[in-house]
Amino acid sequence: MPIKTWELDPNFKNEIMGEAGGERLASCFQCSTCTLGCPITEIVPSYNPRKIIQMSLLGMRKEVLSNPDLWVCLICQTCTARCPQDVRIADVLSAIRRIAEREEEAGNLKIDSHRPLFDKAFQHQLEKYGRLYDIGLAKEYYPKKEGSFIKGMKAMMKDYKDFGMRMFKKGKMGPKAMLAPKVKGRAVIKKIFKEMGEE
Amino acid sequence: MSINKLAYYPGCPSDGTAVDQDMSTKAVFEKLGVELVEVEDWNCCGAAEVEDPRVVYALNARNLAIAEKEDLDIVTPCSICYYNLERSNKALKADEALCTKLKGIDSSLDYGGKIKTKHVLDVFVNDIGMDEISSKLEKKVNVKVAPYYGCYIGRPPETAFDDPDNPVLMDKLIELIGGEIVPNFNYMKTVCCGGPLMMTRGDIAFDMARKILDVAKNAGADCISLACPLCGMMLDGKQADIEKALGITIGMPVVYITQLLGLALGIEPNKLGLNKNAVDTKEILGKVV
Ligand code: SF4
Ligand code: SF4
């Protein structure tokens, strides 16, 4: 598909470079080392971090922010470790994901992945308890992902029936893991998300 | 040995899916004569799910400040916790404006940049040292091991403490305790286990974990050794789910390096949580002489 130059957003690169972790975007010289070492490319054929960087530099804002491949990055840092230009691709992709999440919250975009829901549900556990509470996380994530409480509980059972039983039998789902943790300083954690976060 | 006391940051899975790692870490340090003092009222490091680095720094400023009050360096058995603690520690030491801002949010975030943050592997090999560990060994752990390192031990560069492509710290410990490193596993040592995508793209995560398990099996390993609870969840906890979903049999025991080390130090298997690993570890126990 030809690029329509009049639809490009020349400010997009600055927008990314203004995010924490996105600062080094413009140093990319398109060598493809990141893509060649990325383990996701073996599983998802369309996956190409070099291309996401290129499209970002060109200003293809809409295409980049709505690209579902943004959400299958493992943050494994292989690309970052190998990049000759120190672009910090894993951090740049994270910066782009955060812009996409804000755009979705503003109603400008629909993200084709459950990952933002999962990350939010995870963060809510930290705000509430100060630590991760697995059960609380599953109870929030599954209904949201499936669109209803009943469907959510069914999907959760399907994913966790065997695993939960296995962990229980091995004494890894005892009372300590079933009860919500309560960090005494959890009010501070809530404050951190409010003052430092983007929500 | 230069250390006798450290602050211990267990990480969120330590009460649940990685209780075996937590138990074995504590037992090994005790045997090595290093006292662990749990970071009091510690909070989550942010894991991989808090993507905004400034929030990660703030979360860990609280953890660091608590340990700093005790005047202790932090050690953690989790690679992701290590990565978050260490990058926060670096950022906070370098950025005064950030520290001032955090202090303004809450006095408990007032960190003076005086302590170090370390992964258990780093402490074992580089701080306690091979000679000291060697002097305390009681048994030979005669197993063939596929040492799996995962992501945050050799990368990203600014927090790494081992080689990015061929890390060796775990290999050294395994050889020290009488184990053998299987050939043909090296290229898998640092390929991600898929854990971060488990809940949102389970299909990709299973594929990633399966590759590691397959390569270890084909290399003739008796077990895989690990240094991260998320890797443990994927490779051990979910192994039966992977077998079922992909219609394959693997049956590969997966243990934490602290469990192997504990066996060599003569610690009782149940005290190392070796009855809690999802894939049975009895065959390994039979090879401890
Ligand atoms: S490795 Fe670095 S310089 Fe090369 S294409 Fe990727 S981001 Fe650009
Ligand atoms: S961090 Fe993401 S883009 Fe980089 S190598 Fe890992 S999966 Fe690929």
Side-chain angles (χ1 to χ4, degrees), chain B residues 19-40:
Chain B
V19 66
D20 38 2
Q21 186 184 33
D22 179 64
M23 292 166 72
S24 55
T25 303
K26 287 175 178 159
V28 165
F29 274 103
E30 191 189 341
K31 192 85 183 192
L32 292 173
V34 179
E35 187 187 341
L36 294 185
V37 183
E38 186 163 317
V39 176
E40 203 197 326

Side-chain angles (χ1 to χ4, degrees), chain B residues 1 14 65 71 89 102 112 117 126 132 142 159 180 230 236 246 251 254 274 278 281 285 289:
Chain B
M1 188 182 65
S14 59
D71 202 15
N89 201 3
L102 293 180
T117 37
N126 297 321
E132 173 74 18
N142 197 8
T159 52
E180 193 187 309
L230 187 58
D236 183 48
L246 304 179
V254 181
L274 277 155
T281 59
L285 301 184
V289 287

Side-chain angles (χ1 to χ4, degrees), chain B residues 249-267:
Chain B
T249 20
I250 306 168
M252 172 60 62
V254 181
V255 294
Y256 293 104
I257 184 66
T258 41
Q259 293 183 304
L260 286 182
L261 190 54
L263 286 173
L265 290 164
I267 301 167

Side-chain angles (χ1 to χ4, degrees), chain A residues 75-76 88 94 97 166 184, chain B residues 41 51 152 155 158 237:
Chain A
I75 327 181
C76 76
R88 317 210 54 86
S94 167
R97 281 194 293 274
R166 197 175 312 132
K184 288 190 214 96
Chain B
D41 201 42
E51 289 228 59
Y152 301 109
R155 61 179 183 257
E158 71 279 6

